[in-house]
Structure formats: C-alpha cells, structure tokens
Amino acid sequence: MALILGIESSCDETSAAVVEDGSRVLSNAVASQIRRHAPYGGVVPELAAREHLKAINPIVGQALSDAGKTIGEMAAIAVTSGPGLMPALLVGVNFAKGLAAANRLPFIGINHFIAHIYATFLDTGIERLKEPSLYPMLALVVSGGHTALVLITAGSQARLVGTTLDDAAGEALDKASKLLGLGYPGGPIIEKTAVKGNPTAYHFPRPLCGGAGKPVPEEHRYDFSFSGIKTSLLYHCRRLGGAEIKLPETEFYDTVASFQEAVVDVLAKKTLKAAADFGAASIVLAGGVACNGVLRQRLEDLTPKQVQLYLSPRKFCTDNAAMVAGLAYHHLRLGRTDALTLDAFARLPHLSEVPFNC
Ligand code: KG4
Ligand code: ZN
C-alpha cells in the first residue's frame, strides 16, 4: 500500500490530497482564491503566489488530518511542477521539496496537464486504464490554461495532435464573462446565465472549423483558436448595446447562450473529427471546462456508439491535488522519482508518453 501526499498550486487553487495506490482518495482539501482574483476578472500571478504562501501549510495539514494520516505514513510527496503560472508553481514546488527533505521521502514532480487526464479515472476506474480496448484514447483537456487534444496508445505513447493557437477555451469564457460584466470565473457563470437564452439566436464564428467558406489549413486541422470569437463578441455587444455594452435583457441572455454554444460546438466538432480520423476507441473529457453540462451532453449525444466516452467526474475537473497524488503513484511504481533540484516549468513540454498505463 502506497500513500502519497499531493500538492497543487499551479493557478488559483491551493490544494493538498492524500491518495492511496493511485486511486483511493482519502482527502482532497482545496483553498480557492476566486474571491481574491474576482475584482481583476482573471488570475493575477503574484497575488496567486502570495495567497498560496498563506494557504499551503494549513491546507497540507488539513489534507493529512482529513485522511487521518501523518506525514510519516506517506510513501512520497508529489507536486505539480508545471505547466502553470511560475510564481504560483514555485510556492508548491518549494514547499513539497522542503517536506520531502525534512521527512526523507521520495519527491515527485507531476505534469498538471496529464494529471487532468488521469483525474477522469481517479477514485473509480484506474484498473480500466490497463484495458487495451480503451486505446487509442483521445483526450480533450480543456481548462483556463489549455485546450488540447492528446492521442494515447496502449503502449503509453502520447502525442499532442491539436492545441490552441491563442486563447484556451476557459480563458475565452472568462474574458467573455468579464466583457459582459458577469464576473469571474466566467465558465460556470456563463453556463448558469446561458440557460435563460436561446443558443441559436446569434451565430458566432467557429474558427478553424471550415465555416464561411474558409478551408481549414491542413496543419491546423485539429487546432483551436478562441481569440477571434471573443473579438466578435465585443463587436456584437457594441452593435447591440452601444459603447457602454448595455444589452436589452433578451438579447443579453441570447448572446451569452449563443457564445457558449459556439465554444461548445467547436470543442465537440474538433474532438469528434480527430476521434474519427485517428480511429479512437475512447474519448476522455478533462479539465475545468469539462464541468460544463452543455459540453458533456453534446459529447454524450454525438459520440458514436462504438467509442467509449469518459467524462471526468465534476469534483475532479477543476484544479485539485488528488489528481496529482494519484498520478504520482505511477511514477513511484515505475521508480521515477525526482531530485530536489527539479525545476518548475510554465509551458506544456513536448509530450511523448504517459505513465499510467505501462
Ligand atoms: O482546470 P482549471 O481549474 O484550471 C486550469 O488548469 O486552468 O480550469 C479553470 C477553467 C476556468 O477558465 C473556468 O472558467 C472553467 O475552467 N470552468 C468552466 C466551468 N467551470 C469551470 N467552464 C465552463 N463551464 C463550467 N461549468
Ligand atoms: Zn488545471
């Protein structure tokens, strides 16, 4: 039995968790900074780091006490080492290094992006990850920092087949929400507000989907672009609501619903196209935006019967340390621990493999 303490501080959630053998989540404590960043309409990196500094010690203590365990019972300390906001990452990485050194425990740096994919199977189905019938697996990781399609083989090889050329989908929702005066974080607020509107009232562009007679360049067939859709929202709002962007009620709700529809439509279409082209046996939806009910339902409706669809449980979609501690189990199992000189990294590195199915 291996208990791992995981720590997550890549963005605006300070989280710590204790997970047994990669799947049994004994605790998952999360301190959210949403209220601190809300006035700015987005995450301010230095402010995030300062909040992590305050929260990290108590949250680690809480994770251990919720699990009914002591640090001495841990088999390793794991931490998100990237990608993410550098000032925020450094707090978690340094704290985890200190804990590992003081308690003479193995130290493991975790790729946050792969952890989001792993979160889908956490707590219920990591055994399934070993089934060859799941592969090739196509994962859509869609969050505030990423929008990417990853193809994973039964042999644990991973390849980024598509990514965003500019904004991530969550970032576009957050920026749209700010523009519409709806607040932060945009994704959940837009989802709630969109219920009151008609998603087909307006047509926002679907970039890189081949609409409006614009063929998709071959090299961007599976890529995303969300900055244009945001600009078109701005023009649309000015047209309907003037410089002050004061839209009448019906138009306002229809705008929110139509904007969300455009984002969901692009995500679903691109994913299903890539799944068909690569002969994917399963599709995985992960990351913060995977909380979105309209996106979940769309994939449920459109995924062909012969393809297995795995939607991340909502409680593990947004940033959390359970996915970090869970994935770290596989690093430990494979003897892949890290030196205390390990560096943090801000951007998604080249992906070539995942540790969870080998
Ligand atoms: O994975 P996450 O917690 O952090 C990053 O790694 O970025 O994702 C946060 C993102 C935010 O952009 C937030 O607006 C979005 O996930 N999000 C949602 C929903 N809940 C969170 N987007 C759409 N619908 C939701 N219900
Ligand atoms: Zn994340």
Side-chain angles (χ1 to χ4, degrees), residues 129-137 151-159 334 336 352-358:
L129 284 167
K130 291 188 199 137
E131 282 173 24
S133 65
L134 243 68
Y135 303 94
M137 171 192 279
L151 194 68
I152 299 166
T153 68
S156 304
Q157 277 149 5
R159 181 158 69 94
L334 296 165
R336 297 184 190 166
S352 58
E353 58 149 22
V354 288
F356 53 68
N357 65 342
C358 54

Side-chain angles (χ1 to χ4, degrees), residues 101-112:
N103 295 284
R104 296 180 194 281
L105 288 170
F107 169 73
I108 300 166
I110 289 294
N111 181 319
H112 178 90

Side-chain angles (χ1 to χ4, degrees), residues 281 300-309:
E300 299 244 30
D301 293 344
L302 299 182
T303 300
K305 278 193 191 63
Q306 70 276 16
V307 178
Q308 303 175 55
L309 176 65

Side-chain angles (χ1 to χ4, degrees), residues 40-41 144 161 186 243-244 246-247 275 305 322 353:
Y40 307 97
V161 295
E244 301 280 291
K246 284 212 170 96
L247 273 66
K305 278 193 191 63
E353 58 149 22

Side-chain angles (χ1 to χ4, degrees), residues 112 116 143 319 323:
H112 178 90
H116 268 303
S143 70
D319 290 348
M323 65 186 192

